[in-house]
Amino acid sequence: MPGSTPSPWDGIEVYSYELGKSLARLGHEVIGLKIGERTGERRIMDNYYVRYVAVPRVRSALGYHLGFMLAALKEAKGLKTADVVHAVGGYYASIEFLPIRKIVTIIGASTLRESSSLRRRLRATYGRLLYKRALAYIVPNGIIAEEVKVRFGIKNVHVIPMGVDVDDLRPVNEKGQVREKYGFRGDDIIILYVGQLVRGKRLPELLTAFKKFSATHNRAKLLLLSWGYLKEELLKLTTTLGLEGKVIFMSPVPYQQRKDIYHLSDAFVMIGDSFGDGGISTALMDALAAGLPSVVAKNTANSIVVRDGINGFTVTPTAPEDVSKALESCLDEKERLSRNALEIARQYSWGNVAQKINEVYKTIL
């Protein structure tokens, strides 16, 4: 929970979908729940399918939570017969009070994204009230583990990292063919960002740094595979900086086609927080699995998997010269950095992650 489809995009969807596939490969019967406007089922694998539950549509975060609570009540009988109910993200709230055997993956700690001490205390209070009845809690890294222990008072915490499907990101077509398909030239230098166009992602700083980088690279392109409320503001900034034709805004492609976008790129960049809550970006994990040298912000969760001079570089987002130099180094040392990126990504394979989570299941059965 929530169940996914073959076209997930955000972190919770990716986690649910990929973990479901890997658990099914271990022999588990996996059922995902997904709310929507229709009822039905979709089979992902022989022993993994998604059950759609129709609920009234309300366009808000609260509405989605209420919708999932209604879906959980509709599916209560099935949930009670499951050996384990594994909730992912904040939607766990919908099953907190159901008398079922449950665990939860806390993708990110909401208290980490709050700058206001009052809002941080309110979120901590909510977390302490919410996370009480699960039999085990899984978090993707030590940053979140420490936060939920201190702020939420959770004790039974297992640190199991986010995974990545290295094989699924292996290119099928030649790089030149993929570039031609998406309208790029063979001699373009493509710097890729994948994610939301929102505050905290340091996108104005990225555009400023890219202007400096592109001054010495005539064929440089910044490809923003993105969505979000800052698009119009960033389009205006692109014009102000004289980067028309060099910054490309592209809507997300279907999940199974994402390998094309990584394959046509030369480096990956994300100099803001992935979401500000201590989580590691799934897009960054994909980039590493595709062998892309990556540039991320210092002192963020993303810097856990990007090691300076090994598979990329960590930078100060507000220092455009540093970001530009890091991108330059990614090109100069691309072969070595790419090889290391892929090797590090293999350590985070979903198969390994599923095995570790399976061990957690065994402790509560």
Side-chain angles (χ1 to χ4, degrees):
M1 294 177 59
S4 193
T5 69
S7 301
W9 199 243
D10 71 12
I12 292 177
E13 286 284 295
V14 170
Y15 187 99
S16 304
Y17 177 60
E18 296 293 353
L19 178 59
K21 288 196 302 182
S22 296
L23 290 172
R25 292 185 183 117
L26 291 178
H28 292 292
E29 184 77 16
V30 181
I31 302 171
L33 290 185
K34 189 172 182 69
I35 65 173
E37 297 178 344
R38 61 186 176 87
T39 298
E41 290 183 355
R42 180 169 185 169
R43 188 165 294 278
I44 307 299
M45 296 167 59
D46 286 344
N47 52 334
Y48 174 27
Y49 64 92
V50 174
R51 181 175 296 158
Y52 295 87
V53 183
V55 297
R57 188 175 184 181
V58 180
R59 291 182 177 275
S60 69
L62 178 59
Y64 196 85
H65 280 280
L66 292 174
F68 223 98
M69 190 171 294
L70 179 58
L73 291 174
K74 285 185 174 183
E75 295 293 322
K77 183 177 179 180
L79 292 174
K80 289 177 182 178
T81 60
D83 293 309
V84 177
V85 176
H86 187 161
V88 181
Y91 307 117
Y92 166 75
S94 62
I95 63 168
E96 164 69 2
F97 294 100
L98 292 180
I100 55 179
R101 187 182 289 112
K102 53 186 176 283
I103 70 171
V104 58
T105 292
I106 302 175
I107 294 289
S110 58
T111 48
L112 286 171
R113 74 169 71 107
E114 297 295 351
S115 57
S116 162
S117 59
L118 175 60
R119 290 177 65 88
R120 196 178 303 118
R121 286 197 298 271
L122 289 173
R123 285 192 178 273
T125 299
Y126 173 74
R128 284 181 175 272
L129 293 172
L130 173 62
Y131 297 114
K132 285 182 174 293
R133 295 172 177 81
L135 298 176
Y137 298 87
I138 295 171
V139 297
N141 59 59
I143 296 172
I144 298 173
E146 184 64 21
E147 187 73 4
V148 300
K149 287 177 183 177
V150 173
R151 299 282 186 180
F152 300 163
I154 297 174
K155 295 180 180 179
N156 189 16
V157 177
H158 302 261
V159 179
I160 302 176
M162 294 284 288
V164 66
D165 191 339
V166 176
D167 292 335
D168 194 44
L169 286 155
R170 188 172 292 133
V172 176
N173 300 311
E174 292 294 326
K175 189 169 187 172
Q177 292 178 305
V178 178
R179 286 194 167 195
E180 184 178 358
K181 174 183 175 181
Y182 288 93
F184 293 101
R185 287 175 29 172
D187 60 347
D188 285 338
I189 298 170
I190 302 176
I191 309 300
L192 175 65
Y193 166 84
V194 177
Q196 297 185 57
L197 304 176
V198 296
R199 306 290 178 195
K201 300 293 187 177
R202 299 284 190 174
L203 294 163
E205 290 88 344
L206 175 57
L207 291 179
T208 301
F210 180 73
K211 178 178 175 62
K212 184 173 288 292
F213 174 77
S214 64
T216 55
H217 296 85
N218 185 51
R219 296 301 309 171
K221 308 284 185 184
L222 176 60
L223 175 57
L224 304 175
L225 191 71
S226 54
W227 63 100
Y229 61 81
L230 281 184
K231 184 174 181 178
E232 290 304 316
E233 179 180 321
L234 294 171
L235 283 169
K236 291 178 182 177
L237 180 57
T238 297
T239 301
T240 300
L241 293 173
L243 293 173
E244 302 99 320
K246 291 181 175 291
V247 177
I248 313 298
F249 291 82
M250 181 185 292
S251 298
V253 298
Y255 185 66
Q256 299 298 347
Q257 294 177 25
R258 74 197 190 285
K259 69 179 70 176
D260 284 349
I261 304 302
Y262 291 107
H263 186 41
L264 64 80
S265 302
D266 294 296
F268 181 84
V269 61
M270 181 176 282
I271 60 171
D273 289 324
S274 63
F275 200 62
D277 57 7
I280 295 174
S281 166
T282 55
L284 170 61
M285 297 301 295
D286 279 351
L288 297 178
L292 288 183
S294 298
V295 176
V296 302
K298 290 180 178 179
N299 303 317
T300 63
N302 287 335
S303 64
I304 294 173
V305 293
V306 174
R307 302 164 192 173
D308 267 312
I310 304 299
N311 61 340
F313 300 92
T314 63
V315 297
T316 301
T318 53
E321 185 69 34
D322 290 352
V323 179
S324 178
K325 285 182 178 178
L327 292 173
E328 187 77 50
S329 296
C330 284
L331 300 182
D332 292 342
E333 305 176 58
K334 184 178 179 182
E335 184 175 345
R336 179 181 63 83
L337 296 172
S338 295
R339 186 170 57 249
N340 291 338
L342 183 56
E343 188 60 34
I344 289 172
R346 287 196 177 101
Q347 299 171 19
Y348 293 87
S349 74
W350 275 114
N352 291 339
V353 171
Q355 288 281 4
K356 293 176 181 178
I357 289 177
N358 193 47
E359 292 303 312
V360 177
Y361 292 165
K362 291 178 181 178
T363 66
I364 68 172
L365 291 174

